[in-house]
């Protein structure tokens, strides 16, 4: 719900993680004109540079600069008089302007001017006493590390501690926002991904399992797949709100089958969302047309296509778009093609596991039927072995279907229903073919 009013907060993180942008974005967002916002630079970044960069963001409002949002540089004063000058200067600023929010960037840099740790402890004690006497909320920015938390006194008096971090990958960086402390408030723990855009920070809260509804009624509705001959093998169709894992090697027909499930939805008046990370929009539209469907007509009647390149894929941001479409378009069917791309984009296997579990629970609570595809890299014959990821997804899923390619022992493609919860199913091998109208089970 936000930072507590009249509190002292520490925003920590290494250089380049977005601390300054976060603080400036917050100031301009809260600058309504009743009380001013005060941004004080110290020894890290000159005020002129900070003001130059902030103008590049859309949240910047030149009309508020100097009156509602005020900048001041304390570097020279602190270098001449030492850390104790900060308290006297803040007292003057508070009496003169009565700011609603004060940002000090960087407070960590002031430690370099102190003659002892005791001096900085006295400064923060006086500062906390001064700020608590006035209705002002203060943010202390700094290039702190986790090792600094038990050493520096500002962490002891802080009402909240927020960390911004950056994890470099081979082609891009992942950024995370983490709340380490928030007195008197409930907050979501863990890492929350964010991006820096021309609008500032876009934060994507970590996905957690949805609260269970007070009254949970099991739906008895079946959702036909749209693949000829498949529904009888899975008890007459997929239960509404269930999740199906579609396994198979490259070229086995996973994308075609998953797409048929989505296309069957719009034909039945059930808005469908197809989330894809491999085929670009042109390729996907060509595949839909090859299945005998007019793409423009399908999109007008409830088929929604969401494409994200696997190169720039961020697993937390894609969920925001999925939920937004589910809410605005009344989505009843969702296809995610393929989970392997989400796995490649994730840096933490446990985080991906929790993410996928929570995602499936959100689908179930909303009554959305989903199909997830995953490429299988193991033998799909009689002695089937599963990778750890396949095993995890299998136990999470209500239904698991395994596709295979022709081999020396088999002259045709085959499909096996590994499991279907609450449904009778045919466990044997079933032959299927891929024609101009898609997959057909023989």
């Amino acid at each position: 719900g936000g930072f507590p009013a009249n509190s002292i907060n520490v925003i920590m993180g290494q250089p380049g993680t977005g601390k300054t942008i976060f603080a400036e974005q917050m100031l301009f967002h809260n600058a309504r004109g009743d009380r001013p916002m005060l941004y004080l630079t110290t020894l890290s970044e000159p005020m002129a540079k900070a003001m130059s960069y902030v103008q590049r963001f859309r949240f910047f409002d030149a009309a508020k600069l100097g009156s509602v949002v005020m900048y001041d540089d304390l570097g020279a004063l602190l270098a001449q008089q030492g850390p104790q000058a900060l308290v006297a200067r803040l007292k003057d600023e508070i009496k003169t302007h009565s700011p609603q929010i004060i940002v000090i960037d960087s407070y960590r840099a002031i430690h370099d001017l102190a003659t002892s740790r005791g001096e900085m402890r006295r400064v923060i004690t006086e500062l906390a006493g001064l700020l608590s006497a006035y209705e002002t909320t203060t943010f202390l920015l700094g290039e702190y590390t986790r090792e600094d938390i038990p050493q520096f006194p500002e962490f002891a008096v802080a009402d909240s501690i927020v960390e911004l971090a950056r994890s470099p990958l081979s082609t891009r960086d992942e950024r995370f926002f983490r709340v380490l402390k928030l007195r008197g408030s409930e907050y979501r723990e863990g890492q929350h991904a964010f991006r820096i855009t021309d609008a500032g920070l876009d934060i994507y809260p970590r996905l957690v399992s949805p609260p269970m509804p007070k009254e949970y009624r099991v739906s008895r509705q079946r959702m036909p797949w749209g693949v000829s001959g498949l529904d009888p093998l899975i008890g007459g169709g997929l239960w509404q709100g269930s999740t199906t894992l579609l396994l198979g090697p490259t070229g086995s027909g996973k994308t075609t089958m998953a797409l048929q499930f989505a296309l069957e939805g719009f034909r039945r008046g059930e808005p469908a969302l197809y989330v894809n990370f491999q085929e670009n929009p042109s390729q996907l539209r060509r595949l839909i047309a090859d299945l005998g469907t007019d793409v423009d007509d399908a999109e007008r009647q409830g088929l929604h296509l969401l494409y994200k390149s696997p190169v720039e894929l961020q697993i937390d941001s894609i969920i925001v778009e999925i939920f937004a479409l589910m809410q605005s378009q009344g989505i009843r069917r969702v296809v995610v093609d393929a989970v392997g791309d989400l796995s490649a984009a994730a840096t933490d296997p446990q985080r991906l596991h929790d993410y996928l579990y929570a995602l499936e629970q959100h689908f179930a609570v909303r009554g959305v039927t989903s199909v997830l595809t995953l490429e299988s890299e193991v033998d799909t014959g009689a002695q089937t072995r599963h990778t750890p990821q396949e095993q995890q997804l299998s136990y999470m899923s209500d239904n698991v279907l395994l596709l295979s390619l022709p081999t020396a022992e088999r002259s045709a493609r085959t499909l096996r229903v590994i499991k279907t919860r609450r449904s009778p199913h045919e466990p044997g091998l079933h032959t299927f073919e891929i024609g101009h109208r898609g997959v057909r089970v023989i």
Side-chain angles (χ1 to χ4, degrees):
F3 292 95
N6 311 326
S7 60
I8 299 175
N9 311 278
V10 174
I11 310 297
M12 60 181 287
Q14 292 302 297
T17 51
K19 302 183 299 297
T20 296
I21 299 171
F22 172 73
E24 291 177 313
Q25 182 178 357
M26 179 175 55
L27 288 191
F28 278 94
H29 176 75
N30 287 279
R32 301 180 180 88
D34 47 345
R35 293 175 62 191
M37 310 286 153
L38 183 59
Y39 198 103
L40 302 175
T41 60
T42 61
L43 303 171
S44 54
E45 187 171 60
M47 183 181 67
K49 183 179 290 188
M51 293 183 63
S52 173
Y53 286 134
V54 72
Q55 297 179 50
R56 305 180 184 184
F57 293 94
R58 283 192 278 129
F59 61 76
F60 174 75
D61 186 350
K64 296 179 179 179
L65 194 62
S67 57
V68 184
V69 179
M70 300 183 296
Y71 284 77
D72 200 357
D73 190 347
L74 305 186
L77 176 67
L78 292 169
Q80 182 180 10
Q81 301 182 20
Q84 193 65 38
L86 176 65
V87 178
R89 183 59 177 269
L90 279 181
K91 184 179 297 184
D92 291 339
E93 294 285 359
I94 291 174
K95 290 181 178 179
T96 304
H97 301 291
S98 184
Q100 181 180 0
I101 296 177
I102 299 174
V103 173
I104 302 176
D105 184 9
S106 151
Y107 191 84
R108 171 65 177 83
I110 302 177
H111 281 267
D112 297 334
L113 299 176
T115 57
S116 66
R117 185 173 297 180
E119 181 182 8
M120 287 304 298
R121 186 171 297 278
R122 289 191 296 273
V123 169
I124 193 63
T125 301
E126 291 183 38
L127 189 63
L130 171 66
L131 297 172
S132 63
Y134 296 90
E135 293 183 356
T136 185
T137 305
T138 306
F139 293 87
L140 309 178
L141 277 57
E143 300 76 22
Y144 298 101
T145 65
R146 294 286 185 91
E147 291 72 24
D148 293 330
I149 295 178
Q151 298 184 40
F152 292 156
E154 53 264 39
F155 290 99
V157 303
D159 298 293
S160 75
I161 303 171
V162 170
E163 180 185 33
L164 276 64
R166 183 172 63 184
S167 175
L169 302 179
S170 59
T171 58
R172 59 184 173 86
D173 288 350
E174 278 195 328
R175 300 173 184 271
F176 295 102
F177 182 100
R178 189 168 198 161
V179 181
L180 302 180
K181 175 183 179 181
L182 192 62
R183 280 179 180 160
S185 301
E186 182 179 358
Y187 63 92
R188 186 173 297 187
E189 297 180 338
Q191 294 180 320
H192 311 284
F194 74 91
R195 284 177 174 168
I196 298 178
T197 69
D198 64 346
L201 271 65
D202 286 335
I203 299 179
Y204 309 102
R206 180 177 62 85
L207 185 64
V208 296
S209 298
M212 289 296 101
K214 295 181 180 179
E215 295 183 4
Y216 184 77
R217 298 180 181 179
V218 178
S219 172
R220 307 304 300 177
Q221 181 180 350
R222 293 276 188 175
M223 314 288 280
W225 192 298
V227 171
S228 176
L230 178 58
D231 288 342
L233 305 182
I234 52 177
L238 302 176
W239 288 117
Q240 181 183 6
S242 65
T243 295
T244 299
L245 177 63
L246 194 56
L247 278 169
T250 300
S252 58
K254 300 185 301 298
T255 293
T256 302
M257 281 189 65
L259 193 54
Q260 286 179 258
F261 173 75
L263 294 176
E264 183 68 13
F266 95 85
R267 296 190 187 105
R268 294 177 174 271
E270 301 164 356
L273 172 62
Y274 190 92
V275 184
N276 166 54
F277 309 120
Q278 288 295 331
E279 283 78 14
N280 63 45
S282 297
Q283 293 172 318
L284 193 59
R285 291 174 72 88
R286 188 182 306 116
L287 178 56
I288 294 174
D290 290 343
L291 293 175
T293 300
D294 183 281
V295 182
D296 294 331
D297 182 58
E299 291 183 319
R300 284 192 295 269
Q301 296 187 52
L303 177 65
H304 302 273
L305 306 176
L306 178 58
Y307 166 76
K308 291 293 180 183
S309 167
V311 176
E312 302 298 332
L313 181 60
Q314 216 294 335
I315 63 173
D316 298 271
S317 61
I318 191 68
I319 196 62
V320 173
E321 296 187 57
I322 292 175
F323 284 169
L325 285 169
M326 286 171 54
Q327 183 71 26
S328 64
Q329 304 299 326
I331 300 296
R332 308 312 305 158
R333 298 184 181 213
V334 171
V335 172
V336 178
D337 184 18
V339 174
D341 294 301
L342 291 175
S343 178
T347 55
D348 182 355
Q350 183 60 47
R351 190 164 180 268
L352 176 67
H353 168 272
D354 298 345
Y355 170 96
L356 290 172
Y357 178 82
L359 181 62
E360 291 186 7
Q361 295 304 308
H362 278 278
F363 288 154
V365 168
R366 288 169 168 80
V368 174
T369 310
S370 60
V371 170
L372 313 179
T373 71
L374 178 63
E375 183 166 335
S376 174
E377 299 179 355
V378 298
D379 177 27
T380 56
Q383 302 300 320
T384 300
R385 300 181 304 276
H386 293 296
T387 65
Q389 184 180 41
E390 290 171 2
Q391 292 174 349
Q392 287 182 342
L393 283 170
S394 295
Y395 84 74
M396 279 191 249
S397 303
D398 301 292
N399 316 294
V400 179
L401 276 64
L402 186 62
L403 310 183
S404 67
L405 292 168
T407 65
E409 295 78 19
R410 298 188 299 271
S411 60
R413 300 171 187 268
T414 58
L415 177 151
R416 175 184 294 163
V417 181
I418 303 298
K419 78 169 184 179
T420 59
R421 285 183 180 145
R422 298 189 295 115
S423 297
H425 65 277
E426 297 287 341
L429 286 176
H430 305 276
T431 302
F432 72 92
E433 61 182 16
I434 302 177
H436 69 283
R437 293 295 182 181
V439 173
R440 181 174 71 91
V441 179
I442 303 173

